[in-house]
Amino acid sequence: MSELELILKTPVEELIPKMLAWNNSELLAQVEEKLKHYENVNYDDSTIDIAKKDRAQLNAFCKALNDERIRIGKVYSSPYDKFKSEVDGVINRVKEVSEKISTQVQAYELKKQEEKQQAVIEYFKEAIGEFSGLIPYEKVHQARWLNVSVSMKSIKADIDTIVSNARAAVVAIEALKSEDEETLKAFYFRTLNLSEALMENERLKQERTKIAELKPKQEEEKPEEKANATNIQIVKFQVEGTIEQLKQLQHFLRENQIKFTAIKEGK
């Protein structure tokens, strides 16, 4: 396909229009002279109709001048507007075809990405070895792997590193001789982060220590509760006193956690 190029039949420098010449200075001088009359006029109730007429004349002049500016602007810019419209027509036609080609290119690139991802998954299945089921592909997938600029050699190296890191992590966890070894392994395969797994080991150790410290206290409290339960005595007695004294006695019993029950007199 030959190279497409816009060629002007007349150089653009020759097409640049000259500045519009008009009686700007003369008209401005005439306007200034006319406006002196209006600027010093003070209208009152008897001349308000004249004020309205003067305002209408000034506004009419402004409108006429602006209308002429708009008319000249359209004439002045019409060649460029026509040129722009024609260029836009060519551009839009080219874009129609370009977009159709783009659709095919995108479909091709998507197909190549899918093929590449399938190749990566196949290698992952081969390399994952004993960790199959523990490290799913979705957990380690990196979006950049599907970029054209990233080679399969580089991707395989990334996967090999993931597997070797997992093996090293398992060895490190087993070396701890921890009571929570299986829990720590499960934690690692959830996070694939050995540092966090080691921190989890410390947390579990501290938690177990606190539980061990708490157990003797709980055992001590149980005999105390049992002893207190066997020392409970029930004594029935009748008291006499003022209402205030009885209230004080009731308050004392409650404060000392002594159960009491009112005895109703039989009829």
Side-chain angles (χ1 to χ4, degrees):
M1 180 178 181
S2 60
E3 184 177 354
L4 299 176
E5 182 182 3
L6 186 155
I7 301 176
L8 291 176
K9 295 182 179 179
T10 305
V12 68
E13 292 77 12
E14 297 179 13
L15 296 175
I16 297 176
K18 296 180 180 179
M19 295 296 294
L20 292 173
W22 61 294
N23 63 333
N24 180 27
S25 299
E26 294 83 355
L27 181 59
L28 183 58
Q30 293 174 16
V31 167
E32 291 289 352
E33 186 64 28
K34 290 282 185 182
L35 293 180
K36 289 180 181 178
H37 168 73
Y38 295 106
E39 288 178 344
N40 298 319
V41 174
N42 291 317
Y43 299 96
D44 55 25
D45 293 347
S46 63
T47 58
I48 195 65
D49 289 338
I50 296 176
K52 293 179 180 180
K53 183 178 179 182
D54 291 343
R55 182 184 64 180
Q57 289 177 342
L58 293 175
N59 289 342
F61 171 77
C62 289
K63 183 177 184 305
L65 191 62
N66 193 57
D67 288 346
E68 184 65 4
R69 177 193 64 79
I70 294 172
R71 184 189 70 80
I72 293 174
K74 290 179 178 179
V75 173
Y76 200 73
S77 61
S78 61
Y80 172 75
D81 292 341
K82 181 176 182 295
F83 169 73
K84 180 180 181 300
S85 175
E86 291 171 347
V87 169
D88 287 345
V90 174
I91 291 174
N92 291 336
R93 181 69 185 99
V94 172
K95 281 186 175 180
E96 288 179 8
V97 178
S98 175
E99 288 174 359
K100 291 180 180 179
I101 296 174
S102 179
T103 300
Q104 296 183 48
V105 171
Q106 289 174 358
Y108 170 81
E109 291 176 346
L110 179 60
K111 179 183 176 183
K112 298 303 290 185
Q113 283 187 345
E114 291 173 349
E115 291 175 353
K116 187 176 185 180
Q117 179 163 345
Q118 189 57 41
V120 172
I121 292 174
E122 290 301 320
Y123 180 78
F124 175 82
K125 289 178 179 179
E126 295 173 6
I128 199 63
E130 68 271 27
F131 302 124
S132 177
L134 294 173
I135 304 178
Y137 174 78
E138 293 74 18
K139 195 173 189 65
V140 299
H141 172 75
Q142 298 179 30
R144 69 179 187 85
W145 286 349
L146 302 184
N147 294 341
V148 177
S149 58
V150 181
S151 67
M152 278 298 296
K153 180 179 179 181
S154 173
I155 297 171
K156 289 179 179 180
D158 289 343
I159 294 174
D160 291 343
T161 299
I162 292 169
V163 175
S164 62
N165 286 345
R167 287 175 180 149
V170 170
V171 171
I173 292 172
E174 290 176 347
L176 296 173
K177 304 298 182 182
S178 171
E179 297 179 29
D180 304 303
E181 183 175 297
E182 295 305 316
T183 300
L184 294 175
K185 287 181 179 179
F187 183 92
Y188 170 77
F189 287 113
R190 284 199 306 272
T191 63
L192 294 183
N193 189 311
L194 179 59
S195 296
E196 290 184 7
L198 296 178
M199 291 173 61
E200 177 68 5
N201 179 53
E202 291 301 316
R203 188 190 70 79
L204 292 173
K205 284 168 60 177
Q206 293 176 9
E207 189 177 79
R208 195 182 302 102
T209 299
K210 291 179 181 178
I211 293 174
E213 292 174 350
L214 184 62
K215 190 173 182 180
K217 294 181 181 179
Q218 293 175 334
E219 294 297 332
E220 183 179 344
E221 289 174 357
K222 287 181 180 179
E224 288 180 359
E225 292 175 358
K226 187 175 181 181
N228 292 336
T230 57
N231 290 332
I232 294 175
Q233 301 293 323
I234 299 176
V235 178
K236 295 182 179 180
F237 62 92
Q238 182 176 328
V239 297
E240 292 184 5
T242 64
I243 293 177
E244 184 61 32
Q245 289 174 328
L246 294 177
K247 286 183 178 180
Q248 292 178 2
L249 175 59
Q250 186 181 57
H251 178 73
F252 171 80
L253 295 173
R254 286 178 177 169
E255 285 292 315
N256 289 274
Q257 297 182 356
I258 300 175
K259 294 183 180 180
F260 63 91
T261 304
I263 300 174
K264 298 182 180 180
E265 295 182 0
K267 294 183 179 180

